[in-house]
Amino acid sequence: MATTLRRVLEYVEDQAGAVSLAQMARELGVPRPLLQEMIDYWVRRGRLREAGAASCGTCGSASLCPAAAFVLKRYEPVNGGAEQAVCACAAE
Amino acid sequence: MAARSYSIALAGNPNVGKSTLFNALTGARQHTGNWPGKTVEKKEGRTLIDGREVLVVDLPGTYSLAACSIEEVIARDFIVQEQPDAVVIVADAANLERNLYLALQILELGAPAVLALNMADTARARGLRIDTEALSAALGGAPVIETVGSRGVGIDALKAAIARCASRPSRVPFALDYGAQLEAEIAALADQSAADPALSARYSPRWLALRLLEGDASVPVSAELRAAASAAAERLAAALGDDAELLIADARYAFIGRAVARAVTHTSADVSPSERADRIITHRIWGLPIFLGLMWLVFQFTANVSAPLLDWVDGVVTGPVARWAAALLGAGGLGGTWVESLAVDGVIAGVGGVLVFVPVLMTLYLAIAVLEDSGYMARAAFVMDRVMRALGLHGKSFLPLLVGFGCNVPAVYATRTLENERDRKLTGFLATFMSCGARLPVYVAFGAAFFGAQAGQLTFGLYLLGIGAALLTGLAFSRLIYRNQPAQPFVLELPPYRWPRPRGVARQVWARTRSFIYNAGTIILACAVVIWLLLALPASLDLRAFNAVEPEDSVFGTTSQLIAPALAPAGFGDWRAAGSLISGVIAKEVVIGTMSQVYSAEAPDDDPDAATPTLLEDIGEIARSLGEAIVLTAQEAINIVPRTVNVIPGVKLPEADLLGAGDKGAEDTTALGTALRGAFTPLSAVAFLVFVLLYVPCMATVGAMRQEFGGRWALYQIGYTLLLAWAAAVIVYQGGLLLGLGA
């Protein structure tokens, strides 16, 4: 049986578009704070990435940027990204 | 004999109040420096516990001991190498799940630890009750103390727990059960590492086995031990279908879930009010009607509430301000010259004609800022995503399209958030159909002139038409470009709803209004001067007739007449309308500025026999009309309720009439409004607005398109939008005539 962590990743990858964290927590039966932790885990492993909305970098002025008003924390799968160990950076 | 001193370490995630707790423990007895060889700040302090001096070391904030970051290396090495007598794990009581992963790792390391549930007051305020004994039992008996570091609550209990913990003679590492197969490999590796006395003196063999299975390359072990760990990890992957690191993490998360479920109870409902509201607001069926309903309210609010102040600003600009400018220039000997014409008919009519819409834009920006700050706009994005996917469009494109409602230029740049070039190009193309703030003055001027209290519905309809044009264009393009391309998945974190913060809302409104006013002072001013010059210059280029030519015989009038016939099928084949549309290519607000200039040039002068008000009379009238405008604004705000309810057939709630002036609040008395009613019919006005909505975006947007997607794509867009705008306006006008709406 797949681990909860694996189910979280597969759930995100299987969505056809946007899903909210609350909805995902409900459907997976995982408490939302714990779900956030699990998503962060996959971000560290390079399978999901956190994308800021207002990252066009045009003007550098968040206070004037209309996009800044719509900044939503979102996570998306990294297509074709190689999975990496959480500690890959510790080899120094 | 003096009691022996000892040391403790404070560990915890960032932002859990660790520094506050450190201060509460050590008071002023602190020393700040750097960790040896690192640029990370090291804080030490001293405190007395049961008469013994205790060195308190504040470790850097970390989420784990995985040794991925310099902070994690410092925290782990300190606990392993310095072996403090106790580690105080500081956790945010309101976010236990987030904090227990680090706590588990520290306990597995074998460190004698106390769990301080800091910010316990916040957790209680959120309806969380934590059974500290149950949590302590789950964590192998590690003491659990609730604290509020900022108020010194629980510090004595924490010190007592530290003293008990530090006096324990032996360290028995906490052992989480990872399941039979993992446990067997852990035990084998732990036995192997325990056989090395130097290694087992530094590290708990079980913790070392876990780290090796997790692939930690930073722990100094022999090649044989590392090879054994690799072989064990391969066996586990073959048997359990996933790598050991993931299996270990999953077991820890499962343990955390169980421990929290056992120890934490919610005195409030399990589901937050925001989540309950979202089940309706982002519902896959109700979400869209709710979004449309709110937008309808926004445009009702914008068009009606701002109308009295718009009339007031218009009255001030076209009346006293124009008179004062003329009087000043007359006093300087420039009365009746081209300089006066430039100032009054050019700058004041052009720039002033646009600035009178500042109240409208401020009202719109206020409504949008309130929706943004409340957290609703994030939901709108969520709902829009579903709509676009239903039409076969790319879900992630919603953001640039929403940004386009403010201004199309940043919307084009916001497409940089999309990875695929084709997605970027299509989204940039569609974003220009979103009704930007600059188009709003045109809608409002025509809406007020022809549709009175129904102006809000007209504006709302135009915004919907822009969305519809974008969706249909996107649908057509996606059939050609995006065939069979699956929608991209993503997870959105919707922020909780909250009451809008007045300061935040005011900052947003001001930032956007300032940008509009800046445009009026630069681009629109320049356009007004150029339009004035073209209106003053005869088509014959006979300079003797400069500023004395009839508008239709000017360069502007003659050029506009060349284009006007092409617009006749759409019902506005008048040269003034054509000329305004040409100038509107520079910036959409300029359509209104130009109309103000063209129609003011043609308007008969004020009655020469009428007495000119004195300065004091002007000031008195400005103040009186401002007071009236404020009362009417309040009246219009109140009347949103009956006007909204009255949409229901058969319902007729009475509307407020604070000044006893009937429907004066919705009556357009501006100079431009009067001129427009003479030049357009309601049907041709709607066709004109449809053209303004859809035709070539402003030059700044075209420039952004060219910069982002190349000149050819920008040219395609100019051609496509011109054709679409013309076709749509003709359909509206001719269709309206066929339906008998042409009167």
Side-chain angles (χ1 to χ4, degrees), chain A residues 4-6 12 15-19 21 26 37 40-42 45 53 56 58 69 72-75 77 86-87 89-90, chain B residues 66-68 98 211 218 242-243 245-246 250 253 279 372 378 385 389 399 413 416-417 488-493 511:
Chain A
T4 311
L5 271 170
R6 188 60 71 185
V12 178
Q15 290 302 307
V19 61
L21 270 180
R26 214 163 44 236
E37 284 297 291
D40 288 346
Y41 170 86
W42 285 115
R45 281 195 71 154
C56 67
T58 320
L72 298 176
K73 201 171 182 181
R74 72 165 190 257
Y75 302 92
V86 168
C87 272
C89 49
Chain B
C68 278
R98 170 136 265 200
R211 290 307 302 149
S218 69
D242 242 321
D243 62 78
E245 191 272 324
L246 184 141
D250 193 71
Y253 288 127
R279 287 183 188 179
E372 284 169 2
D385 167 70
R389 271 190 292 127
L399 183 96
Y413 288 125
R416 289 180 186 177
T417 54
Q488 279 203 349
F490 56 99
V491 182
L492 274 178
E493 184 177 335

Short mmCIF file of all heavy atoms in Angstrom, two decimals, chain A residues 4-6 12 15-19 21 26 37 40-42 45 53 56 58 69 72-75 77 86-87 89-90, chain B residues 66-68 98 211 218 242-243 245-246 250 253 279 372 378 385 389 399 413 416-417 488-493 511:
data_model
loop_
_atom_site.label_atom_id
_atom_site.label_comp_id
_atom_site.label_asym_id
_atom_site.label_seq_id
_atom_site.Cartn_x
_atom_site.Cartn_y
_atom_site.Cartn_z
N THR A 4 1.38 7.54 2.88
CA THR A 4 0.60 8.78 2.81
C THR A 4 1.36 9.84 2.02
O THR A 4 0.77 10.57 1.22
CB THR A 4 0.31 9.29 4.23
OG1 THR A 4 -0.19 8.20 5.01
CG2 THR A 4 -0.71 10.41 4.21
N LEU A 5 2.67 9.88 2.23
CA LEU A 5 3.47 10.86 1.49
C LEU A 5 3.33 10.64 -0.02
O LEU A 5 3.16 11.59 -0.79
CB LEU A 5 4.94 10.73 1.87
CG LEU A 5 5.41 11.55 3.06
CD1 LEU A 5 6.82 11.13 3.47
CD2 LEU A 5 5.37 13.03 2.76
N ARG A 6 3.39 9.40 -0.43
CA ARG A 6 3.29 9.10 -1.86
C ARG A 6 1.89 9.45 -2.37
O ARG A 6 1.72 9.97 -3.46
CB ARG A 6 3.61 7.61 -2.07
CG ARG A 6 3.76 7.15 -3.49
CD ARG A 6 4.85 7.84 -4.27
NE ARG A 6 6.19 7.49 -3.89
CZ ARG A 6 7.29 8.08 -4.40
NH1 ARG A 6 7.18 9.03 -5.31
NH2 ARG A 6 8.50 7.73 -3.99
N VAL A 12 -1.70 15.35 -6.08
CA VAL A 12 -1.41 16.63 -6.77
C VAL A 12 -1.20 16.37 -8.26
O VAL A 12 -1.75 17.07 -9.11
CB VAL A 12 -0.17 17.32 -6.17
CG1 VAL A 12 0.16 18.60 -6.92
CG2 VAL A 12 -0.38 17.61 -4.70
N GLN A 15 -4.41 15.82 -10.41
CA GLN A 15 -5.44 16.85 -10.55
C GLN A 15 -5.43 17.43 -11.96
O GLN A 15 -4.38 17.55 -12.57
CB GLN A 15 -5.19 18.00 -9.55
CG GLN A 15 -5.45 17.64 -8.11
CD GLN A 15 -6.86 17.15 -7.88
OE1 GLN A 15 -7.82 17.82 -8.24
NE2 GLN A 15 -6.99 15.98 -7.28
N ALA A 16 -6.61 17.81 -12.41
CA ALA A 16 -6.69 18.50 -13.70
C ALA A 16 -6.93 19.97 -13.41
O ALA A 16 -8.03 20.47 -13.54
CB ALA A 16 -7.82 17.92 -14.53
N GLY A 17 -5.91 20.67 -12.96
CA GLY A 17 -6.05 22.09 -12.64
C GLY A 17 -5.85 22.34 -11.16
O GLY A 17 -5.14 21.61 -10.49
N ALA A 18 -6.51 23.40 -10.68
CA ALA A 18 -6.26 23.85 -9.31
C ALA A 18 -7.06 23.05 -8.29
O ALA A 18 -8.17 22.63 -8.54
CB ALA A 18 -6.62 25.32 -9.18
N VAL A 19 -6.44 22.85 -7.14
CA VAL A 19 -7.15 22.26 -6.00
C VAL A 19 -6.68 23.04 -4.77
O VAL A 19 -5.54 23.48 -4.72
CB VAL A 19 -6.85 20.75 -5.88
CG1 VAL A 19 -5.38 20.49 -5.66
CG2 VAL A 19 -7.66 20.10 -4.78
N LEU A 21 -5.77 23.56 -0.74
CA LEU A 21 -5.20 22.73 0.32
C LEU A 21 -6.29 22.15 1.21
O LEU A 21 -6.23 20.98 1.61
CB LEU A 21 -4.25 23.56 1.18
CG LEU A 21 -2.79 23.63 0.77
CD1 LEU A 21 -2.02 24.49 1.75
CD2 LEU A 21 -2.18 22.23 0.74
N ARG A 26 -9.25 17.41 3.03
CA ARG A 26 -10.52 16.73 3.24
C ARG A 26 -10.55 15.40 2.49
O ARG A 26 -10.92 14.37 3.03
CB ARG A 26 -11.64 17.65 2.74
CG ARG A 26 -12.90 17.57 3.53
CD ARG A 26 -13.84 18.74 3.30
NE ARG A 26 -14.03 19.14 1.93
CZ ARG A 26 -13.80 20.37 1.48
NH1 ARG A 26 -13.35 21.28 2.32
NH2 ARG A 26 -14.02 20.70 0.23
N GLU A 37 2.98 20.07 5.86
CA GLU A 37 4.31 19.49 6.11
C GLU A 37 4.71 18.52 5.01
O GLU A 37 5.86 18.49 4.56
CB GLU A 37 4.30 18.75 7.46
CG GLU A 37 4.33 19.65 8.65
CD GLU A 37 5.61 20.45 8.68
OE1 GLU A 37 6.67 19.87 8.91
OE2 GLU A 37 5.54 21.67 8.45
N ASP A 40 5.59 20.30 1.87
CA ASP A 40 6.93 20.87 2.02
C ASP A 40 8.00 19.79 1.83
O ASP A 40 9.09 20.06 1.30
CB ASP A 40 7.09 21.53 3.41
CG ASP A 40 6.30 22.82 3.51
OD1 ASP A 40 5.86 23.32 2.47
OD2 ASP A 40 6.10 23.30 4.63
N TYR A 41 7.69 18.60 2.30
CA TYR A 41 8.64 17.49 2.12
C TYR A 41 8.91 17.28 0.63
O TYR A 41 10.05 17.15 0.20
CB TYR A 41 8.05 16.22 2.75
CG TYR A 41 8.82 14.96 2.42
CD1 TYR A 41 9.91 14.58 3.18
CD2 TYR A 41 8.47 14.17 1.32
CE1 TYR A 41 10.63 13.44 2.88
CE2 TYR A 41 9.19 13.03 1.00
CZ TYR A 41 10.27 12.66 1.78
OH TYR A 41 10.99 11.54 1.46
N TRP A 42 7.83 17.27 -0.19
CA TRP A 42 8.01 17.03 -1.62
C TRP A 42 8.67 18.22 -2.32
O TRP A 42 9.35 18.05 -3.33
CB TRP A 42 6.66 16.69 -2.28
CG TRP A 42 6.22 15.29 -1.96
CD1 TRP A 42 5.14 14.91 -1.23
CD2 TRP A 42 6.90 14.08 -2.33
NE1 TRP A 42 5.09 13.54 -1.13
CE2 TRP A 42 6.16 13.00 -1.80
CE3 TRP A 42 8.06 13.80 -3.06
CZ2 TRP A 42 6.53 11.67 -1.97
CZ3 TRP A 42 8.43 12.48 -3.23
CH2 TRP A 42 7.67 11.43 -2.69
N ARG A 45 12.21 17.66 -1.83
CA ARG A 45 12.70 16.57 -2.68
C ARG A 45 12.66 16.90 -4.16
O ARG A 45 13.01 16.08 -5.00
CB ARG A 45 11.89 15.29 -2.43
CG ARG A 45 12.35 14.61 -1.16
CD ARG A 45 11.85 13.21 -1.06
NE ARG A 45 12.50 12.30 -2.01
CZ ARG A 45 12.62 10.99 -1.81
NH1 ARG A 45 12.16 10.47 -0.69
NH2 ARG A 45 13.17 10.21 -2.69
N ALA A 53 2.91 34.05 -7.27
CA ALA A 53 2.18 34.56 -8.44
C ALA A 53 2.89 35.75 -9.05
O ALA A 53 3.04 35.84 -10.27
CB ALA A 53 0.78 34.93 -8.02
N CYS A 56 6.92 38.02 -11.87
CA CYS A 56 7.35 38.43 -13.20
C CYS A 56 8.62 39.26 -13.11
O CYS A 56 9.38 39.33 -14.06
CB CYS A 56 6.24 39.19 -13.92
SG CYS A 56 5.83 40.78 -13.21
N THR A 58 9.15 42.39 -13.09
CA THR A 58 9.23 43.51 -14.02
C THR A 58 9.67 44.80 -13.34
O THR A 58 10.59 45.46 -13.77
CB THR A 58 7.84 43.76 -14.66
OG1 THR A 58 7.26 42.51 -14.94
CG2 THR A 58 7.98 44.57 -15.91
N ALA A 69 -1.46 41.78 -5.54
CA ALA A 69 -2.72 41.60 -4.83
C ALA A 69 -3.23 40.16 -4.96
O ALA A 69 -4.03 39.71 -4.16
CB ALA A 69 -3.77 42.56 -5.39
N LEU A 72 -0.79 34.20 -4.54
CA LEU A 72 -1.30 33.01 -3.88
C LEU A 72 -0.17 32.03 -3.76
O LEU A 72 0.59 31.84 -4.71
CB LEU A 72 -2.40 32.37 -4.71
CG LEU A 72 -3.65 33.20 -4.96
CD1 LEU A 72 -4.59 32.47 -5.88
CD2 LEU A 72 -4.34 33.48 -3.65
N LYS A 73 -0.07 31.43 -2.60
CA LYS A 73 0.94 30.39 -2.45
C LYS A 73 0.42 29.18 -3.21
O LYS A 73 -0.70 28.73 -2.96
CB LYS A 73 1.10 30.08 -0.97
CG LYS A 73 2.39 29.42 -0.62
CD LYS A 73 2.50 29.37 0.88
CE LYS A 73 3.80 28.76 1.33
NZ LYS A 73 3.86 28.72 2.78
N ARG A 74 1.19 28.70 -4.15
CA ARG A 74 0.71 27.53 -4.87
C ARG A 74 1.86 26.55 -5.09
O ARG A 74 3.02 26.93 -5.14
CB ARG A 74 0.04 27.92 -6.18
CG ARG A 74 0.96 28.39 -7.27
CD ARG A 74 0.22 28.38 -8.60
NE ARG A 74 1.17 28.62 -9.67
CZ ARG A 74 1.32 29.77 -10.29
NH1 ARG A 74 0.58 30.79 -9.95
NH2 ARG A 74 2.20 29.91 -11.25
N TYR A 75 1.49 25.32 -5.20
CA TYR A 75 2.47 24.26 -5.41
C TYR A 75 2.10 23.53 -6.69
O TYR A 75 0.94 23.28 -6.95
CB TYR A 75 2.46 23.28 -4.24
CG TYR A 75 2.73 23.92 -2.91
CD1 TYR A 75 1.70 24.37 -2.12
CD2 TYR A 75 4.04 24.09 -2.45
CE1 TYR A 75 1.93 24.98 -0.90
CE2 TYR A 75 4.29 24.69 -1.23
CZ TYR A 75 3.23 25.13 -0.46
OH TYR A 75 3.46 25.74 0.75
N PRO A 77 3.52 20.36 -9.61
CA PRO A 77 4.51 19.30 -9.86
C PRO A 77 5.63 19.81 -10.75
O PRO A 77 5.42 20.67 -11.59
CB PRO A 77 3.71 18.22 -10.59
CG PRO A 77 2.29 18.57 -10.41
CD PRO A 77 2.22 20.04 -10.21
N VAL A 86 16.36 14.30 0.30
CA VAL A 86 16.21 15.51 1.10
C VAL A 86 17.57 16.04 1.53
O VAL A 86 17.79 17.23 1.62
CB VAL A 86 15.33 15.21 2.33
CG1 VAL A 86 15.39 16.33 3.34
CG2 VAL A 86 13.90 14.99 1.87
N CYS A 87 18.52 15.13 1.72
CA CYS A 87 19.82 15.55 2.22
C CYS A 87 20.87 15.66 1.13
O CYS A 87 22.06 15.63 1.42
CB CYS A 87 20.31 14.58 3.28
SG CYS A 87 19.71 15.06 4.88
N CYS A 89 22.03 17.98 -0.29
CA CYS A 89 22.91 19.15 -0.15
C CYS A 89 23.92 18.97 0.98
O CYS A 89 24.73 19.83 1.23
CB CYS A 89 22.06 20.38 0.11
SG CYS A 89 20.88 20.10 1.41
N ALA A 90 23.85 17.87 1.69
CA ALA A 90 24.67 17.74 2.89
C ALA A 90 26.01 17.06 2.64
O ALA A 90 26.74 16.79 3.56
CB ALA A 90 23.90 16.95 3.94
N ALA B 66 18.29 17.59 9.50
CA ALA B 66 18.75 16.84 8.33
C ALA B 66 20.11 17.30 7.83
O ALA B 66 20.67 16.69 6.92
CB ALA B 66 17.72 16.97 7.21
N ALA B 67 20.64 18.36 8.40
CA ALA B 67 21.95 18.90 8.00
C ALA B 67 21.96 19.37 6.57
O ALA B 67 22.95 19.26 5.87
CB ALA B 67 23.05 17.86 8.24
N CYS B 68 20.82 19.90 6.11
CA CYS B 68 20.76 20.46 4.76
C CYS B 68 21.24 21.89 4.74
O CYS B 68 21.70 22.38 3.72
CB CYS B 68 19.32 20.43 4.23
SG CYS B 68 18.87 18.82 3.57
N ARG B 98 3.62 21.04 12.75
CA ARG B 98 4.77 21.62 12.07
C ARG B 98 6.03 21.47 12.91
O ARG B 98 7.14 21.42 12.39
CB ARG B 98 4.46 23.09 11.77
CG ARG B 98 5.61 23.90 11.30
CD ARG B 98 5.23 24.77 10.15
NE ARG B 98 5.56 24.09 8.89
CZ ARG B 98 5.71 24.69 7.73
NH1 ARG B 98 5.54 25.97 7.65
NH2 ARG B 98 6.04 24.03 6.64
N ARG B 211 20.00 7.90 10.24
CA ARG B 211 20.59 8.93 9.37
C ARG B 211 21.22 8.30 8.13
O ARG B 211 21.11 8.83 7.02
CB ARG B 211 21.66 9.75 10.12
CG ARG B 211 21.15 10.66 11.19
CD ARG B 211 20.05 11.60 10.72
NE ARG B 211 20.48 12.44 9.62
CZ ARG B 211 19.66 12.89 8.66
NH1 ARG B 211 18.39 12.56 8.68
NH2 ARG B 211 20.12 13.65 7.70
N SER B 218 26.69 13.43 5.57
CA SER B 218 27.55 14.28 6.40
C SER B 218 28.04 13.59 7.67
O SER B 218 28.93 14.10 8.35
CB SER B 218 26.80 15.56 6.77
OG SER B 218 25.76 15.25 7.67
N ASP B 242 9.40 1.83 -1.92
CA ASP B 242 9.80 3.25 -1.83
C ASP B 242 11.15 3.34 -1.15
O ASP B 242 11.59 2.39 -0.50
CB ASP B 242 8.75 4.04 -1.04
CG ASP B 242 8.12 5.12 -1.91
OD1 ASP B 242 8.86 5.74 -2.70
OD2 ASP B 242 6.91 5.34 -1.80
N ASP B 243 11.79 4.49 -1.28
CA ASP B 243 13.11 4.58 -0.67
C ASP B 243 13.01 4.74 0.84
O ASP B 243 11.98 5.18 1.38
CB ASP B 243 13.92 5.71 -1.31
CG ASP B 243 13.30 7.05 -1.11
OD1 ASP B 243 13.45 7.59 0.00
OD2 ASP B 243 12.66 7.55 -2.05
N GLU B 245 14.39 6.72 2.95
CA GLU B 245 14.24 8.07 3.48
C GLU B 245 12.76 8.47 3.53
O GLU B 245 12.27 9.02 4.51
CB GLU B 245 15.04 9.04 2.60
CG GLU B 245 15.20 10.43 3.17
CD GLU B 245 14.06 11.33 2.79
OE1 GLU B 245 13.54 11.20 1.66
OE2 GLU B 245 13.65 12.13 3.64
N LEU B 246 12.03 8.13 2.45
CA LEU B 246 10.60 8.45 2.40
C LEU B 246 9.83 7.62 3.41
O LEU B 246 8.93 8.11 4.09
CB LEU B 246 10.07 8.21 0.99
CG LEU B 246 8.62 8.61 0.76
CD1 LEU B 246 8.46 9.24 -0.61
CD2 LEU B 246 7.69 7.42 0.87
N ASP B 250 7.64 9.17 6.30
CA ASP B 250 6.21 8.85 6.35
C ASP B 250 5.82 8.31 7.73
O ASP B 250 4.76 8.67 8.27
CB ASP B 250 5.87 7.82 5.27
CG ASP B 250 4.38 7.70 5.06
OD1 ASP B 250 3.79 8.65 4.51
OD2 ASP B 250 3.80 6.66 5.46
N TYR B 253 5.63 11.25 10.10
CA TYR B 253 4.40 12.04 9.92
C TYR B 253 3.19 11.28 10.48
O TYR B 253 2.30 11.88 11.08
CB TYR B 253 4.18 12.37 8.44
CG TYR B 253 5.13 13.41 7.90
CD1 TYR B 253 5.88 13.18 6.76
CD2 TYR B 253 5.28 14.64 8.55
CE1 TYR B 253 6.76 14.13 6.27
CE2 TYR B 253 6.16 15.60 8.07
CZ TYR B 253 6.90 15.35 6.92
OH TYR B 253 7.76 16.29 6.46
N ARG B 279 -16.74 26.18 1.22
CA ARG B 279 -17.51 25.07 0.63
C ARG B 279 -18.66 25.61 -0.22
O ARG B 279 -19.15 24.94 -1.10
CB ARG B 279 -18.05 24.17 1.75
CG ARG B 279 -16.94 23.36 2.36
CD ARG B 279 -17.42 22.40 3.41
NE ARG B 279 -16.28 21.79 4.08
CZ ARG B 279 -16.38 20.92 5.06
NH1 ARG B 279 -17.56 20.56 5.51
NH2 ARG B 279 -15.30 20.41 5.62
N GLU B 372 -9.92 42.10 -2.17
CA GLU B 372 -8.59 41.49 -2.08
C GLU B 372 -8.20 41.25 -0.63
O GLU B 372 -7.76 40.17 -0.26
CB GLU B 372 -7.54 42.42 -2.71
CG GLU B 372 -7.57 42.41 -4.22
CD GLU B 372 -6.72 43.53 -4.77
OE1 GLU B 372 -6.10 44.27 -3.98
OE2 GLU B 372 -6.71 43.68 -6.00
N ALA B 378 -8.60 35.74 -3.95
CA ALA B 378 -7.93 34.45 -4.11
C ALA B 378 -8.95 33.39 -4.53
O ALA B 378 -8.67 32.53 -5.37
CB ALA B 378 -7.25 34.05 -2.81
N ASP B 385 -10.32 29.68 -12.51
CA ASP B 385 -9.50 28.58 -13.04
C ASP B 385 -10.39 27.46 -13.56
O ASP B 385 -10.16 26.92 -14.64
CB ASP B 385 -8.58 28.06 -11.92
CG ASP B 385 -7.94 26.74 -12.31
OD1 ASP B 385 -7.08 26.78 -13.20
OD2 ASP B 385 -8.31 25.70 -11.77
N ARG B 389 -10.77 26.09 -17.44
CA ARG B 389 -10.52 24.68 -17.79
C ARG B 389 -11.72 24.08 -18.50
O ARG B 389 -11.59 23.30 -19.42
CB ARG B 389 -10.20 23.88 -16.53
CG ARG B 389 -8.72 23.89 -16.23
CD ARG B 389 -8.41 22.92 -15.14
NE ARG B 389 -8.96 23.33 -13.87
CZ ARG B 389 -9.73 22.56 -13.11
NH1 ARG B 389 -10.06 21.36 -13.50
NH2 ARG B 389 -10.16 22.99 -11.94
N LEU B 399 -4.23 34.10 -13.55
CA LEU B 399 -3.63 35.23 -12.85
C LEU B 399 -3.39 36.43 -13.75
O LEU B 399 -3.85 37.54 -13.44
CB LEU B 399 -2.35 34.81 -12.16
CG LEU B 399 -1.82 36.00 -11.39
CD1 LEU B 399 -2.24 35.94 -9.95
CD2 LEU B 399 -0.34 36.10 -11.52
N TYR B 413 3.16 41.22 -18.70
CA TYR B 413 4.41 40.80 -18.04
C TYR B 413 4.17 39.64 -17.06
O TYR B 413 5.04 38.80 -16.85
CB TYR B 413 5.04 41.98 -17.30
CG TYR B 413 5.64 43.00 -18.22
CD1 TYR B 413 5.27 44.34 -18.16
CD2 TYR B 413 6.57 42.63 -19.18
CE1 TYR B 413 5.81 45.28 -19.02
CE2 TYR B 413 7.12 43.56 -20.06
CZ TYR B 413 6.73 44.89 -19.97
OH TYR B 413 7.27 45.79 -20.83
N ARG B 416 4.91 35.92 -17.59
CA ARG B 416 6.23 35.31 -17.37
C ARG B 416 6.16 34.19 -16.34
O ARG B 416 7.09 33.39 -16.23
CB ARG B 416 7.22 36.36 -16.88
CG ARG B 416 7.61 37.36 -17.95
CD ARG B 416 8.59 38.36 -17.40
NE ARG B 416 8.87 39.42 -18.37
CZ ARG B 416 9.66 40.45 -18.12
NH1 ARG B 416 10.23 40.56 -16.93
NH2 ARG B 416 9.88 41.36 -19.04
N THR B 417 5.08 34.17 -15.57
CA THR B 417 4.95 33.10 -14.58
C THR B 417 4.59 31.76 -15.24
O THR B 417 4.60 30.73 -14.58
CB THR B 417 3.85 33.44 -13.55
OG1 THR B 417 2.65 33.73 -14.26
CG2 THR B 417 4.23 34.61 -12.70
N GLN B 488 -2.71 21.53 -16.39
CA GLN B 488 -1.63 21.35 -15.41
C GLN B 488 -2.18 21.43 -14.00
O GLN B 488 -2.92 22.36 -13.67
CB GLN B 488 -0.58 22.43 -15.61
CG GLN B 488 0.36 22.11 -16.74
CD GLN B 488 1.68 22.84 -16.58
OE1 GLN B 488 1.81 23.72 -15.75
NE2 GLN B 488 2.64 22.47 -17.37
N PRO B 489 -1.84 20.47 -13.17
CA PRO B 489 -2.36 20.50 -11.80
C PRO B 489 -1.58 21.45 -10.90
O PRO B 489 -0.39 21.66 -11.13
CB PRO B 489 -2.15 19.05 -11.33
CG PRO B 489 -1.01 18.55 -12.14
CD PRO B 489 -0.99 19.30 -13.42
N PHE B 490 -2.23 22.01 -9.91
CA PHE B 490 -1.51 22.74 -8.87
C PHE B 490 -2.38 22.90 -7.63
O PHE B 490 -3.61 22.79 -7.71
CB PHE B 490 -0.98 24.09 -9.35
CG PHE B 490 -2.00 25.02 -9.93
CD1 PHE B 490 -2.52 26.04 -9.17
CD2 PHE B 490 -2.39 24.91 -11.25
CE1 PHE B 490 -3.44 26.92 -9.71
CE2 PHE B 490 -3.31 25.78 -11.80
CZ PHE B 490 -3.84 26.80 -11.01
N VAL B 491 -1.72 23.09 -6.52
CA VAL B 491 -2.40 23.21 -5.23
C VAL B 491 -2.34 24.67 -4.80
O VAL B 491 -1.28 25.28 -4.82
CB VAL B 491 -1.71 22.36 -4.16
CG1 VAL B 491 -2.45 22.47 -2.84
CG2 VAL B 491 -1.62 20.92 -4.60
N LEU B 492 -3.48 25.22 -4.43
CA LEU B 492 -3.53 26.61 -3.99
C LEU B 492 -3.76 26.68 -2.50
O LEU B 492 -4.59 25.94 -1.98
CB LEU B 492 -4.71 27.31 -4.67
CG LEU B 492 -4.49 27.91 -6.05
CD1 LEU B 492 -5.80 28.50 -6.52
CD2 LEU B 492 -3.43 28.96 -6.03
N GLU B 493 -3.02 27.55 -1.86
CA GLU B 493 -3.30 27.80 -0.45
C GLU B 493 -4.18 29.03 -0.37
O GLU B 493 -3.73 30.14 -0.67
CB GLU B 493 -2.01 28.02 0.33
CG GLU B 493 -2.30 28.17 1.80
CD GLU B 493 -1.05 28.32 2.64
OE1 GLU B 493 0.02 27.86 2.20
OE2 GLU B 493 -1.15 28.91 3.71
N ALA B 511 -2.15 53.80 -4.10
CA ALA B 511 -1.09 53.41 -5.04
C ALA B 511 -1.64 53.38 -6.47
O ALA B 511 -1.01 53.85 -7.41
CB ALA B 511 -0.53 52.04 -4.66
#
